[in-house]
């Protein structure tokens, strides 16, 4: 390599070292390898080089060109790396800042419980049925063997609406979800298995009674459904719902106008601590029985051919027991603090395979 | 119903401990409400003799006594009672005893130099009333050394049971005893009062003019009675169950009401005008009842009247004018049978809850009248003296005999428990059923007179237009009655539980598609940050009217409170109140929703399920990186659209018009329709005046979605996806449109300009500031062209853009900027 080439290399390398940004670097690149760059000019002059030296000088020039091109490229990479580093440093944020708000909504405990009920009874072959809140006197009482003079009517504390005309029985706010059973029996021939969950109304208001609350009712009609099935169905439900495989369940004789035989059902708990499952005390939790022959007959089902069971329980009551909630009234108050405390995630619906 | 253990033992021969009796009562359907064992707290107190009582040497008001509590030892006791004297018989508590009246436990003490090793007690100190004038002063023959509670009859536990409406017979001590005996707890004692011979002819007689209300009535006159306080045993029986002793005659009637479930009435015969007591319909008269209140009777009520007028509301409450008092000397005992339905309706009409009504409306034993009259007459003569007339009667014993048949296989077939035939028949016999016929398969029994709930002859109330299966019901109902009796005595706990059989291992869907849509709507709204509420279906009528709900047909006839008197027209109305309550507690920014009924009428189809939501205050919590803004109509529209989209509504088929009802802001609300008529949702800002009238918190936006109006999405197989191979071309347009032109019209026109080529049209900007002529706004629209055959040339793209601009101009008058 001749001196001029050594000088060119040294000068170029020095210029590259001095190039602090891409613009300066590009000036160096163009000054050496551009159309009118120093090295480009030397290459152009190669034709004027004496022939005996031309070959050697050509090889030297090409080597130098490769060397300088590599040096220029290396410098570019270094500069870009440095520029990226600088940018990243400049873009630093405070990662402890709170993220943008996405307020979580929630599902009311009554809805959650009814979803759990539907899941469990669904696995036992029940379908969910519905009916209106404002009912006829016949659907709420007459069909269910509760005639106008029946003492049981006094226990129902019924809300009445104005009658449609003189002599017409006033419509009622349903006092139980049993009219849905009547509607189901009239709509579809047996066998049938339905559960119904919904609003019910009674003129009563204190710490343990609300003028509106929710009931779950079940009805199973078949040719050979016995009180044994009723007991099995309820035990299976209660143990699954409360998640206590050994939950004690007690059955007592009782009376309801629309069932016979009738039973009240207690579960074992500790009255002092409120803990379910043990403790030696009994807590009444639901009413049940074999559907009364008159109810079947009123709905056009021959009791000599078909029989079945029915049961009902308070949705809020079992919700309060399951979650250890003390007071009924906040269920309907929509206090956002209470809702946030007891509400459940809309993204976690009750599914048997995830556990209810 | 309350009764004491000793009273029960009058009718039941049993050694069973109290706990076994109470457990059995609960098991067989006579649910235990409570046991009050007063003897337990009185157990330490013994009857004692005061041997000496001298003034305390160091205290003027105290006495130093010595007491013998029955063990012959003279115990020193300091006593402050003024009546303490030597020789008196009183009640003593030894050291260590708990004194209920003072809530302390006794210790041996030294009171101003005199030892006191016990206490002489007043009634109040024993927890037996308010008498604190002095220590107990018992009769001289009270046995020193025995437990006071036992001597006073206060060690008798009181049992309280809940009697179900079908068991009128169990509203009597004898009925309870019979059930317990049938369940294996002892034996029912025989009861048959000996007749008392007539000694004169009654000057009063009965006349029935209302036989439907009173088929049969008996009476007996008793002369020369001395009415006064009842003897101690009777007063204690009544006191124990919470009845106040009044006088012997009244107490005797109360005794039989509880003992036999047989209400009686005793007239003061000298106060009855004329010689006839007539059972007849009321005629608007008013009389003063024994409870001190005036009762005005109607033609639906059965009354007992004498020549002077109405003296009693039959079977419910007697009259003050002919009642017995201390001066009564001649009486007339009434023992009647009344129609349960009329009693129930009369009692409800007059709002009178009496022990007599409770029994008559459940139905009393129609065969018991003669024996009960004898028993009552006998007790009156025994306790008050006097002589009795012959029995006077009107009407006759009604036909009450019925039979019921039980096929033994049905005990297992219905009740799920195999009970041997002999055991089943035995249980029925212990309950008083007698066997009329029996073979290997079935038994036919005579129903006892006191069980009017078994094989009752009551009518069906079938659905209109239905042929009620009368024969099947007549066969099954009495049999079910008997199965229930056998099972409840056996105990339902022994019936083996059987899990439900299912059609297959994988259950069919539990919810209908409509129910599934409701559940999905709930989850969508929850996922969008709204909190689900459950509010009452009724509200104040004034507030309901603000939301268009003032139909008088939906106003409760008997609201529980004035602010809960009207069925809500929409859940939005009660949500608005909920938001106000939260604001009043210091939480003004809430997002709430509820899925529940709104009421437009009483028919089932007029009670639609509505998903309503409300966002009050800020759209989101304050945040360092997000500009704060109040929730606006488009937040509410977004909620509604999110639900509709999730439920499979074809969103391109929706239209929005600005005709929401008056509780919305008229300029910031819309109605979402599918097709020309079907309203699916409403949304917008709530009207400021409505908010102000509800309580004056800040602005709020809301939506209502009519879930019932949403069509089930068509279940078509999904077509193959459209995935063209060519790049889409995006072009932006800026249209200047009159302000009144709806954005939706511009977008619709653009979309329709090139049906096959245009894949998407969206609005990215809306501007009505200074750069645009007044009364106009600029709408920025992006159109995506999707070529399918080949890449478009610039000329083709320009032509397509021109068609978009022309279509929009034609439809809306908007021009390119």
């Amino acid at each position: 390599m001749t001196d001029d080439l050594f000088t060119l290399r040294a000068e170029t390398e020095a210029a590259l070292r001095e190039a602090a940004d891409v613009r300066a670097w590009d000036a160096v690149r163009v000054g050496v390898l551009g159309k009118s760059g120093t090295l480009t000019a030397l290459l152009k002059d190669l034709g004027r080089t004496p022939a005996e030296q031309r070959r050697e000088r050509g090889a030297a020039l090409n080597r130098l060109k490769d060397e300088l091109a590599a040096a220029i490229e290396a410098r570019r990479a270094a500069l870009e790396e440095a520029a990226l580093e600088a940018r990243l440093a400049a873009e630093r944020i405070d990662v402890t800042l709170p993220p943008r708000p996405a307020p979580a909504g929630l599902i009311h405990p009554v809805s959650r419980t009814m979803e759990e009920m539907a899941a469990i009874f669904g696995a036992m072959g029940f379908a969910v049925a519905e009916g209106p809140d404002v009912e006829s006197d016949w659907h709420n009482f007459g069909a269910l063997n509760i005639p106008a003079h029946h003492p049981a009517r006094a226990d129902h504390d019924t809300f009445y609406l104005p009658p449609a005309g003189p002599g017409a029985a006033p419509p009622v706010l349903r006092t139980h979800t049993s009219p849905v059973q009547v509607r189901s029996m009239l709509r579809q021939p047996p066998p049938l298995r339905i559960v119904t969950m919904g609003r019910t109304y009674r003129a009563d208001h204190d710490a343990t009674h609300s003028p509106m609350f929710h009931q779950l009712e079940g009805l199973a009609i078949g040719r050979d459904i016995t009180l044994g099935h009723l007991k099995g169905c309820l035990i299976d439900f209660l143990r699954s719902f409360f998640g206590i495989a050994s939950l004690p369940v007690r059955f007592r004789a009782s009376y309801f106008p629309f069932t016979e035989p009738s039973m009240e059902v207690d579960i074992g708990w500790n009255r002092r601590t409120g803990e379910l499952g043990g403790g030696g005390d009994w807590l009444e939790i639901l009413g049940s029985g074999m559907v009364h022959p008159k109810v079947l007959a009123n709905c056009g089902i021959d009791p000599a051919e078909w029989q079945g069971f029915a049961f009902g329980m308070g949705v809020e009551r079992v919700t309060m027991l399951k979650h250890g909630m003390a007071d009924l009234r906040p269920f309907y108050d929509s206090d956002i603090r209470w809702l946030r405390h007891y509400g459940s995630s809309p993204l976690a619906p009750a599914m048997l395979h995830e556990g209810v | 119903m309350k009764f004491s253990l000793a009273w029960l033992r009058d009718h039941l021969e049993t050694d069973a401990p109290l706990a076994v009796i109470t457990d059995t009562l609960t098991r067989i359907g006579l649910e235990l409400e409570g046991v009050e064992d007063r003897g337990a707290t009185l157990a330490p107190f013994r009857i004692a003799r005061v041997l000496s009582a001298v003034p305390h040497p160091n205290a003027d008001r105290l006495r130093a006594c010595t007491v013998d509590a029955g063990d012959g030892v003279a115990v020193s006791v300091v006593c402050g009672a003024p009546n303490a004297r030597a020789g008196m018989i009183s009640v003593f508590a030894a050291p260590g005893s708990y004194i209920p009246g003072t809530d302390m436990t006794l210790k041996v003490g030294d009171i101003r130099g005199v030892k006191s090793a016990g206490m002489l007690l007043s009634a109040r100190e024993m927890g037996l009333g308010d008498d604190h004038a002095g220590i107990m002063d018992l009769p001289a023959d009270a046995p020193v050394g025995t437990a006071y509670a036992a001597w006073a009859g206060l060690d008798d536990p009181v049992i309280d049971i809940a009697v179900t409406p079908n068991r009128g017979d169990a509203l009597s001590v004898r009925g309870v005893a019979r059930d317990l005996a049938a369940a294996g707890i002892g034996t029912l004692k025989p009861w048959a009062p000996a007749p008392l011979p007539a000694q004169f002819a009654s000057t009063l007689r009965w006349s029935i003019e209302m036989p439907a209300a009173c088929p049969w009535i008996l009476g007996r006159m008793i002369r020369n009675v001395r009415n006064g306080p009842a003897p101690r045993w009777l007063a204690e029986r009544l006191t124990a169950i919470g009845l106040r002793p009044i006088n012997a005659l009244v107490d005797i009637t109360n005794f039989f009401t509880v003992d036999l479930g047989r209400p009686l009435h005793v007239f003061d015969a000298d106060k009855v005008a004329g010689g006839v007591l007539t059972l007849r319909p009321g005629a608007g008269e008013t009389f003063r009842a024994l409870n001190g209140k005036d009762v005005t009777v109607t033609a639906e009520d059965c009354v007992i009247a004498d020549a002077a007028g109405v003296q009693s509301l039959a079977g419910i409450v007697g009259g003050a004018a002919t009642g017995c008092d201390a001066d009564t000397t001649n009486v007339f005992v009434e023992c009647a049978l009344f129609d349960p339905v009329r009693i129930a309706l009369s009692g409800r009409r007059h709002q009178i809850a009496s022990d007599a009504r409770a029994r008559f409306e459940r139905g009393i034993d129609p065969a018991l009248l003669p024996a009960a009259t004898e028993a009552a007459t006998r007790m009156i003569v025994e306790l008050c003296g006097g002589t009795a007339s012959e029995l006077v009667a009107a009407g006759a014993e009604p036909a009450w005999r019925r039979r019921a048949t039980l096929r033994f296989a049905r005990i297992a077939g219905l009740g799920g428990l195999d009970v041997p035939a002999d055991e089943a028949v035995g249980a029925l016999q212990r309950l008083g059923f007698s066997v009329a016929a029996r073979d290997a398969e079935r038994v036919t029994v005579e129903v006892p007179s006191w069980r009017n709930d078994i094989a009752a002859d009551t009518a069906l109330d079938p659905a209109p237009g239905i042929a009620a299966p009368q024969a099947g019901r007549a066969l099954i109902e009495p049999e079910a009655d008997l199965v229930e009796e056998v099972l409840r005595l056996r105990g339902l706990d022994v019936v083996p539980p059987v899990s439900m059989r299912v059609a297959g291992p994988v259950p069919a869907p539990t919810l209908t598609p409509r129910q599934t849509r409701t559940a999905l709507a709930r989850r969508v709204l929850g996922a969008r940050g709204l909190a689900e509420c459950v509010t009452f279906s009724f509200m104040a009528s004034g507030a309901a009217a603000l939301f268009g709900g003032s139909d008088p047909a939906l106003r409760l006839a008997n609201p529980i409170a004035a602010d809960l008197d009207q069925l809500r027209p929409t859940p939005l109305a009660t949500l608005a109140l909920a938001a106000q309550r939260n604001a009043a507690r210091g939480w003004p920014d809430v997002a709430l929703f509820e899925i529940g009924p709104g009421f437009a009428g009483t028919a089932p189809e007029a009670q639609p399920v509505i998903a309503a939501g409300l966002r009050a205050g800020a759209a989101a919590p304050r945040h360092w990186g997000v500009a704060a803004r109040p929730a606006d109509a488009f937040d509410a529209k977004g909620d509604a659209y999110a639900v509709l989209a999730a439920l499979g509504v074809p969103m391109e088929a929706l239209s929005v018009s600005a005709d929401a009802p008056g509780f919305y802001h008229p300029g910031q609300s819309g109605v979402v329709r599918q097709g020309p008529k079907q309203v699916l949702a409403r949304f917008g800002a709530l009207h400021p005046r409505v908010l102000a009238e509800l309580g004056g918190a800040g602005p709020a936006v809301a939506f209502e979605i009519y879930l019932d109006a949403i069509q089930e999405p068509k279940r078509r197989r999904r077509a193959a996806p459209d995935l063209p191979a060519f790049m889409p071309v995006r072009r932006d347009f800026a249209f200047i449109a009159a302000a009144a032109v709806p954005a939706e019209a511009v977008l619709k026109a653009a979309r329709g300009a090139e049906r096959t080529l245009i894949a998407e049209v969206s609005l990215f900007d809306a501007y009505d500031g200074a750069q645009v002529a007044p009364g106009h706004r600029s709408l920025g629209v992006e159109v995506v062209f999707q070529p399918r055959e080949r890449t478009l040339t610039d000329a083709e793209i320009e032509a397509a853009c021109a068609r978009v601009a022309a279509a929009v101009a034609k439809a809306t008058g908007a021009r390119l900027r």
Side-chain angles (χ1 to χ4, degrees):
Chain A
M1 195 183 290
T2 52
D3 287 352
D4 62 332
L5 296 190
F6 273 115
T7 306
L8 177 58
R9 185 169 71 183
E11 284 173 1
T12 303
E13 283 171 354
L16 281 173
R17 275 195 302 274
E18 277 167 30
D21 55 24
V22 174
R23 178 179 297 222
W25 164 84
D26 202 47
V28 175
R29 181 184 66 83
V30 171
V32 177
L33 296 178
K35 276 184 187 169
S36 27
T38 45
L39 187 59
T40 311
L42 291 176
L43 282 165
K44 280 180 186 159
D45 284 348
L46 193 59
R48 275 178 277 161
T49 307
E52 63 280 6
Q53 296 170 9
R54 195 177 298 159
R55 183 185 184 86
E56 189 185 342
R57 182 154 176 95
L61 274 170
N62 276 327
R63 268 198 311 279
L64 180 61
K65 186 186 174 189
D66 290 348
E67 265 177 53
L68 289 181
I72 286 167
E73 182 52 32
R75 183 60 184 156
R76 185 192 66 83
L79 281 173
E80 282 187 356
E81 183 64 26
L84 184 60
E85 286 297 329
R87 185 183 132 206
L88 292 177
E91 286 174 355
R92 180 180 303 277
I93 59 170
D94 177 2
V95 294
T96 68
L97 284 170
R100 282 175 197 84
L106 48 89
I107 303 298
H108 194 278
V110 163
S111 293
R112 169 72 195 189
T113 295
M114 296 200 299
E115 206 169 50
E116 292 172 5
M117 289 168 160
I120 297 168
F121 282 108
M124 292 192 259
F126 289 81
V128 175
E130 294 166 305
D133 291 29
V134 178
E135 269 291 5
S136 75
D137 188 88
W138 182 81
H139 282 96
N140 195 72
F141 291 121
L144 293 158
N145 193 26
I146 314 175
H149 56 80
H150 198 288
R153 281 220 182 185
D155 303 336
H156 274 236
D157 296 321
T158 313
F159 283 116
Y160 292 96
L161 290 169
V172 302
L173 298 192
R174 64 181 180 192
T175 59
H176 46 187
T177 40
S178 309
V180 183
Q181 298 184 17
V182 174
R183 289 180 179 277
S184 298
M185 285 190 276
L186 289 172
R187 188 167 47 227
Q188 115 189 50
L192 65 99
R193 288 184 197 180
I194 55 129
V195 285
T196 178
M197 296 162 285
R199 294 170 179 238
T200 50
Y201 306 87
R202 296 199 187 179
D204 208 350
H205 206 177
D206 59 36
T208 54
H209 295 88
S210 164
M212 185 190 91
F213 57 103
H214 295 73
Q215 270 193 351
L216 159 78
E217 289 211 353
L219 172 75
I221 305 285
R223 291 185 191 278
D224 54 3
I225 287 182
T226 73
L227 191 118
H229 292 107
L230 171 54
K231 287 184 66 173
C233 178
L234 289 176
I235 291 172
D236 288 342
F237 167 74
L238 291 169
R239 291 183 176 167
S240 171
F241 177 77
F242 288 113
I244 303 171
S246 60
L247 182 71
V249 184
R250 180 175 83 164
F251 295 84
R252 288 183 285 109
S254 188
Y255 167 80
F256 305 104
F258 30 85
T259 52
E260 183 176 45
S262 301
M263 309 189 286
E264 279 185 337
V265 184
D266 303 333
I267 56 173
W269 78 320
N270 184 324
R271 185 174 300 151
R272 201 174 45 78
T273 63
E275 202 174 327
L276 297 178
D281 301 317
W282 292 103
L283 178 67
E284 183 183 324
I285 196 164
L286 69 95
S288 66
M290 300 303 289
V291 181
H292 198 286
K294 279 170 78 175
V295 175
L296 293 172
N298 283 339
C299 297
I301 295 175
D302 188 350
E305 197 179 336
W306 299 97
Q307 62 188 36
F309 64 70
F311 58 85
M313 72 185 83
V315 173
E316 285 86 344
R317 180 163 168 74
V318 296
T319 305
M320 289 167 75
L321 284 172
K322 183 168 179 169
H323 302 292
M325 298 153 84
D327 194 352
L328 175 65
R329 287 168 292 200
F331 274 79
Y332 319 101
D333 192 45
S334 311
D335 185 332
I336 190 68
R337 300 163 300 176
W338 187 90
L339 292 171
R340 284 185 188 141
H341 184 82
Y342 284 115
S344 60
S345 166
L347 303 179
M351 292 186 283
L352 286 182
H353 64 282
E354 291 186 355
V356 291
Chain B
M1 191 188 85
K2 282 184 175 177
F3 54 90
S4 72
L5 186 57
W7 199 339
L8 180 68
R9 287 196 168 123
D10 284 354
H11 293 280
L12 185 68
E13 193 77 58
T14 182
D15 303 327
L18 181 62
V20 171
I21 291 174
T22 54
D23 284 354
T24 305
L25 287 169
T26 291
R27 182 164 55 83
I28 64 178
L30 304 174
E31 186 185 358
L32 183 72
E33 297 271 270
V35 177
E36 188 194 346
D37 194 354
R38 295 174 302 164
T41 54
L42 297 176
F45 308 140
R46 279 187 294 160
I47 297 174
R49 181 187 307 278
V50 179
L51 300 173
S52 66
V54 297
H56 191 290
N58 303 321
D60 291 347
R61 296 205 199 153
L62 297 179
R63 285 169 172 266
C65 307
T66 53
V67 175
D68 173 13
D71 36 19
V73 181
V75 182
S76 172
V77 174
V78 174
C79 174
N83 66 335
R85 65 182 191 277
M88 82 184 289
I89 308 293
S90 190
V91 180
F92 174 74
S97 307
Y98 173 74
I99 310 298
T102 58
D103 189 25
M104 51 175 260
T105 301
L106 275 187
K107 282 185 279 203
V108 177
D110 185 293
I111 300 174
R112 296 201 186 177
V114 177
K115 185 182 176 191
S116 188
M119 187 172 174
L120 290 162
L121 300 169
S122 69
R124 190 169 78 184
E125 283 157 346
M126 284 194 285
L128 296 174
D130 293 330
D131 189 354
H132 196 49
I135 56 173
M136 298 292 288
D137 197 349
L138 302 183
D141 61 353
V144 172
T146 58
Y148 169 74
W151 175 81
L154 295 173
D155 60 344
D156 187 11
V158 175
I159 300 167
D160 187 11
I161 58 168
V163 176
T164 53
N166 59 325
R167 292 296 305 278
D169 69 299
L171 284 176
S172 71
V173 180
R174 185 158 185 81
V176 172
R178 185 187 296 115
D179 252 31
L180 282 169
I185 307 292
T187 335
L188 186 68
K189 292 181 180 172
W191 181 87
L196 197 67
Q199 291 180 274
F200 64 94
S202 172
T203 56
L204 281 175
R205 59 185 178 81
W206 295 112
S207 169
I208 297 178
E209 293 178 3
M210 201 178 179
C214 176
W216 194 24
I217 190 163
L218 304 183
R220 219 166 164 186
M221 185 173 283
I222 304 155
R223 277 189 190 148
N224 299 320
V225 299
R226 292 176 311 279
N227 196 14
R232 209 180 83 182
W233 72 265
L234 178 54
E236 278 172 5
R237 282 276 155 92
L238 297 179
T239 308
I241 63 167
L243 290 177
R244 191 167 55 88
I246 296 168
N247 57 49
L249 290 168
V250 173
D251 294 350
I252 288 167
T253 63
N254 285 337
F255 173 82
F256 281 108
T257 299
V258 177
D259 189 61
L260 298 177
R262 179 52 265 195
L264 302 168
H265 184 66
V266 180
F267 290 94
D268 185 327
D270 297 330
K271 296 176 187 165
V272 175
V276 181
L277 283 165
T278 304
L279 291 112
R280 62 161 172 84
E285 306 100 317
T286 299
F287 76 100
R288 173 67 51 90
L290 281 171
N291 60 11
K293 292 183 178 149
D294 286 339
V295 178
T296 302
V297 294
T298 74
E300 297 298 309
D301 300 316
C302 179
V303 303
I304 303 178
D306 65 3
V310 174
Q311 300 302 341
S312 168
L313 180 58
I316 297 174
V317 67
T322 51
C324 296
D325 53 37
D327 300 329
T328 299
T329 51
N330 299 312
V331 297
F332 189 66
V333 179
E334 166 209 328
C335 183
L337 187 62
F338 295 114
D339 176 61
V341 173
R342 284 173 184 274
I343 294 291
L345 296 176
S346 275
R348 198 183 304 165
R349 190 157 44 237
H350 295 289
Q351 300 280 307
I352 299 172
S354 65
D355 287 337
R357 173 191 165 189
R359 286 161 177 82
F360 279 121
E361 73 181 1
R362 283 166 175 78
I364 55 152
D365 183 348
L368 187 66
L369 273 65
T373 309
E374 287 297 348
T377 309
R378 189 164 274 281
M379 190 180 283
I380 289 172
V381 170
E382 276 171 14
L383 302 187
C384 306
T387 55
S389 77
E390 88 286 17
L391 193 71
V392 292
E397 181 174 337
W400 54 264
R401 286 181 172 75
R402 300 179 307 281
R403 289 186 171 187
T405 297
L406 169 66
R407 293 167 289 172
F408 298 120
R410 292 297 299 156
I411 303 173
L414 182 68
L417 180 70
D418 268 318
V419 177
D422 284 347
E423 193 182 311
V425 173
L428 292 173
Q429 285 174 319
R430 288 195 301 279
L431 284 171
F433 293 82
S434 56
V435 173
R438 180 179 169 180
D439 61 24
E441 250 118 65
R442 72 197 70 209
V443 65
T444 298
V445 291
E446 299 276 1
V447 178
S449 57
W450 54 85
R451 287 307 297 271
N452 57 12
D453 59 321
I454 306 282
D457 182 24
T458 52
L460 287 181
D461 187 0
I466 275 192
Q470 295 283 1
R473 175 263 175 142
L475 170 73
I476 296 300
E477 187 178 348
E479 188 169 70
D481 293 339
L482 298 181
V483 168
E484 179 169 47
E485 293 303 304
V486 171
L487 282 182
R488 77 178 174 90
L489 293 182
R490 188 69 201 274
L492 295 161
D493 261 331
V494 299
V495 175
V498 184
S499 287
M500 295 297 282
R501 277 190 301 272
V502 288
V506 182
T510 308
L511 302 183
T512 61
R514 179 171 165 271
Q515 292 160 354
T516 305
R517 287 204 298 280
T518 303
L520 185 55
R522 179 176 290 117
R523 294 202 282 270
V524 168
L525 292 172
R528 287 180 63 85
L530 294 109
E532 191 190 12
C533 301
V534 173
T535 61
F536 287 157
S537 302
F538 25 57
M539 60 189 301
S541 47
L546 296 175
F547 291 87
S550 53
D551 186 349
L554 297 174
R555 186 160 306 165
L556 297 183
N558 55 337
I560 197 161
D563 62 347
L564 297 174
D565 64 339
Q566 180 83 24
L567 286 179
R568 65 184 185 190
T570 163
L572 177 55
T574 45
L575 276 184
L577 296 171
Q580 300 286 1
R581 286 197 296 274
N582 277 294
R585 289 188 194 102
W587 298 86
D589 301 336
V590 290
L592 308 175
F593 80 100
E594 174 166 358
I595 300 182
F599 298 89
T602 57
E605 57 277 8
Q607 305 170 46
V609 175
I610 299 171
L614 179 144
R615 292 177 181 269
R622 292 177 68 190
H623 185 262
W624 60 271
V626 181
R629 65 170 180 86
D632 62 27
F634 295 103
D635 292 309
K637 186 179 183 182
D639 291 329
Y641 271 48
V643 170
L644 295 177
L647 299 188
V649 171
M651 301 305 284
E652 67 283 358
L654 299 184
S655 64
V656 176
S657 54
D659 53 346
F663 52 90
Y664 285 103
H665 186 307
Q668 294 183 5
S669 60
V671 176
V672 182
R673 288 183 175 81
Q674 183 176 7
K677 282 205 280 255
Q678 185 62 266
V679 173
L680 296 191
R682 312 192 284 220
F683 67 90
L686 286 180
H687 199 295
R689 197 165 54 225
V690 169
L691 290 168
E693 290 195 36
L694 286 179
V701 299
F703 62 87
E704 298 158 277
I705 306 162
Y706 289 85
L707 294 177
D708 297 326
I710 296 171
Q711 300 292 312
E712 171 72 355
K714 292 196 176 69
R715 289 207 173 259
R716 271 196 224 118
R717 246 186 91 180
R718 224 171 256 209
D722 179 24
L723 307 172
F726 301 94
M727 295 276 281
V729 178
R730 296 184 170 82
R731 286 289 182 274
D732 289 351
F733 299 78
F735 290 108
I736 302 290
V741 171
E744 196 174 85
V746 171
L747 297 178
K748 200 167 268 181
R751 202 174 288 122
E754 272 283 1
R755 283 267 172 222
T756 52
L757 193 57
I758 294 177
E760 280 171 39
V761 173
S762 57
L763 184 75
F764 64 85
D765 186 40
Y767 174 78
D768 59 358
Q771 309 296 313
V772 181
H776 289 73
R777 65 175 166 168
S778 164
L779 297 172
V781 176
E782 182 193 71
V783 176
V784 179
F785 299 104
Q786 177 58 64
R788 289 167 191 283
E789 310 294 328
R790 55 184 171 75
T791 303
L792 297 179
T793 65
D794 286 352
E796 286 167 331
I797 293 170
E798 287 313 311
C801 287
R803 282 194 293 279
V804 168
V808 170
K810 185 176 178 210
T812 69
R815 55 185 170 70
L816 283 176
R817 196 171 183 177

